[in-house]
Amino acid sequence: MSFALATCAAYPALTADDQHLARALTARGIDCVTPIWDDPREEWRGYDAIVIRSCWDYHQRSGEFLAWLDQLEQHGARVVNPIPLLRWNLQKSYLRDLAEAGVPVTPTAWIGRGDTTPLAEVLRRHDWPEAVVKPVISATASGTWRVGREPSEEEEARYAAQVRHCDMMVQPYVRSIEATGELSFVFLGGRFSHAVRKRPRVGDFRVQSDFGGTVELAEPGDGLIQQAAAVVAAAPLSPLYARVDACEVHSDLVLMELELIEPVLFFANEPRAPVRLADALTALL
């Protein structure tokens, strides 16, 4: 079998974390290659499966990325996760669908592109003393920032500039992130695999390692795992891999993100995890 672990130009040999998966597949005798998703010379029909992995620039070129998915679909390529699920997950408006399905989601104000409502008015309407502002299409906290109840002129200008170019979302700042961090639950082959706790560096709210955040293996209780599994089950299709990012509030999970496109799966923190995903991928075929 021949698998393509799709990546981007910045990571031609995959990210360090995804290299663990490549080694697990190679150990099974699978021809594992790492083509760049936007390479016009690539012949995608030659692979038994295309696994979306280190495509970490998709949010910066979402139109091109969607067009590429359309092309794969037209060619009848087998893509993991399924293309309809990737399209659904590309915009964070999927959180609306999950909320309607009964998933506890962080409250969100959805701001359409071109809206002229000042940020201060958005905060007053919801009575949020602090908030986080982010584009509806983003990754790795791109374009994401924190604001207080009374935005400065510079902050209003920054917000207005963003809304002119894209749909935006505003959410209340979850202060518990500073104390207890954020939990990420990883599901592989439809089953819970492992979880990690991500913490921001002192003085920041972003948990990503790019901004000084730290990661450690976590052991959440069965109740929290079941709640995370319910989030995955609420997706329109079953993913082969998924990551549920959530905060724990009064012993319950409040969803921040359901990552189904190219999330870090923290293979380095759980050595058995890449084997689990490799097994699930080979079983799929």
Side-chain angles (χ1 to χ4, degrees):
M1 289 185 288
S2 177
F3 280 18
L5 302 186
T7 186
C8 63
Y11 298 94
L14 301 175
T15 61
D17 202 64
D18 281 336
Q19 288 172 14
H20 293 283
L21 173 61
R23 288 192 289 270
L25 289 168
T26 300
R28 281 157 176 70
I30 295 173
D31 182 17
C32 188
V33 296
T34 60
I36 295 171
W37 73 266
D38 60 342
D39 185 348
R41 301 164 298 178
E42 189 61 48
E43 181 49 72
W44 296 99
R45 284 175 285 193
Y47 301 109
D48 293 298
I50 300 165
V51 188
I52 310 301
R53 287 313 308 140
S54 300
C55 303
W56 281 11
D57 59 352
Y58 82 92
H59 63 288
Q60 299 167 337
R61 304 159 58 197
S62 58
E64 294 174 58
F65 187 75
L66 287 170
W68 174 62
L69 294 180
D70 290 344
Q71 181 185 37
L72 295 179
E73 190 171 53
Q74 291 166 8
H75 291 165
R78 175 170 287 180
V79 180
V80 181
N81 280 318
I83 289 175
L85 198 57
L86 299 177
R87 290 197 190 102
W88 175 78
N89 196 234
L90 186 125
Q91 297 198 42
K92 298 185 192 302
S93 51
Y94 71 81
L95 291 170
R96 289 175 168 174
D97 298 335
L98 294 177
E100 290 174 0
V103 173
V105 174
T106 305
T108 306
W110 301 97
I111 315 298
R113 178 180 176 181
D115 192 298
T116 57
T117 305
L119 178 56
E121 177 61 24
V122 175
L123 299 178
R124 278 195 294 271
R125 287 177 183 174
H126 296 276
D127 194 27
W128 291 337
E130 291 182 282
V132 174
V133 182
K134 66 179 75 171
V136 170
I137 299 178
S138 66
T140 321
S142 173
T144 300
W145 47 288
R146 179 178 169 184
V147 65
R149 185 188 297 273
E150 298 295 337
S152 65
E153 290 185 8
E154 292 78 10
E155 288 170 328
E156 286 285 7
R158 178 181 183 181
Y159 173 73
Q162 286 182 291
V163 176
R164 279 196 296 270
H165 293 98
C166 64
D167 294 339
M168 297 291 292
M169 55 194 293
V170 182
Q171 297 177 314
Y173 177 62
V174 181
R175 187 167 290 279
S176 64
I177 288 179
E178 295 179 25
T180 60
E182 178 182 287
L183 284 168
S184 286
F185 299 78
V186 177
F187 291 81
L188 305 174
R191 298 180 178 181
F192 172 71
S193 170
H194 59 286
V196 300
R197 188 177 297 276
K198 301 177 292 185
R199 301 179 190 272
R201 67 176 175 83
V202 177
D204 206 331
F205 68 97
R206 296 166 296 186
V207 296
Q208 293 85 354
S209 59
D210 309 61
F211 306 105
T214 60
V215 178
E216 61 185 8
L217 199 63
E219 295 184 3
D222 291 342
L224 294 181
I225 294 172
Q226 291 172 7
Q227 290 179 49
V231 175
V232 179
L237 293 171
S238 297
L240 197 71
Y241 58 84
R243 196 183 85 200
V244 177
D245 294 342
C247 290
E248 186 178 357
V249 180
H250 304 305
S251 301
D252 288 321
L253 291 184
V254 176
L255 181 67
M256 306 292 285
E257 300 273 3
L258 172 60
E259 299 277 7
L260 303 176
I261 300 178
E262 39 59 76
V264 175
L265 296 174
F266 303 107
F267 292 134
N269 297 85
E270 172 48 270
R272 294 167 293 183
V275 174
R276 292 171 186 148
L277 184 52
D279 287 343
L281 284 166
T282 52
L284 182 69
L285 298 184

